Amino acid sequence: MPARTKKDAAAASEDATMQDAPVSAQVEDAPDQDMPENGAAEEGDEEEEQEEEEEVEPQRVKILPGSTDTAASFEFIDEGHTMGNALRYIIMKNPDVEFCAYTMPHPSEAKMNIRIQTYEGTAIDALKKGLGDLQQVCDVVADEFSAKRQQFNDDNGIDR
């Protein structure tokens, strides 16, 4: 990138003031009369804050077009190889599943696609069962880790 010249520096000092900026770029100041005198929040404000806190998470799994009952592709948002490989492994343990594979469509996208084909039952049921089984495996691993860590701490006199 070329260096600034003296002409560019002079032009930069002539920036527009906030009053000259378009209305869409200006931040509205809250009028002082809307605030209660004693500093307490009004009941309506509390309800609005609760609604803001209860934001609905965006859908993270969707069925891709071209799917049938026994063969479907699913897209997981914000998931990677860790989830894809573990889920593929667990789903393939299901005897009703004929085929299961995952792919990352592009390295710059935080998406993971998984394809499931079944002998019997639906692909959606196979995915649900796979997610439940994976959760159970993770729970067992977490419990075992916690128990071993506690045993290690007890054996070595670590108070944590």
Side-chain angles (χ1 to χ4, degrees), residues 41-57:
E42 295 178 11
E43 289 180 26
D45 292 339
E46 290 177 12
E47 290 176 12
E48 289 177 18
E49 289 176 12
Q50 289 176 354
E51 289 176 9
E52 290 177 9
E53 291 175 8
E54 297 175 8
E55 291 183 20
V56 177
E57 285 190 31

Side-chain angles (χ1 to χ4, degrees), residues 60-92:
R60 293 188 57 199
V61 180
K62 69 178 183 179
I63 300 175
L64 296 176
S67 298
T68 64
D69 285 345
T70 59
S73 294
F74 304 91
E75 180 180 73
F76 286 74
I77 306 297
D78 293 332
E79 294 297 343
H81 290 284
T82 304
M83 174 75 159
N85 196 32
L87 189 57
R88 178 203 58 81
Y89 176 80
I90 294 292
I91 291 173
M92 280 303 297

Side-chain angles (χ1 to χ4, degrees), residues 98-154:
E98 177 182 11
F99 174 82
C100 182
Y102 84 96
T103 184
M104 304 299 293
H106 194 273
S108 67
E109 295 181 35
K111 295 180 182 178
M112 184 265 301
N113 294 344
I114 192 162
R115 173 83 175 168
I116 302 171
Q117 292 175 210
T118 61
Y119 293 116
E120 293 182 20
T122 66
I124 293 173
D125 291 339
L127 178 63
K128 287 179 183 178
K129 183 178 181 339
L131 289 168
D133 292 348
L134 183 58
Q135 179 65 49
Q136 289 177 350
V137 169
C138 290
D139 290 344
V140 168
V141 170
D143 291 344
E144 187 69 20
F145 174 79
S146 295
K148 295 296 182 181
R149 182 183 60 194
Q150 185 62 42
Q151 180 184 1
F152 176 84
N153 290 346
D154 292 344

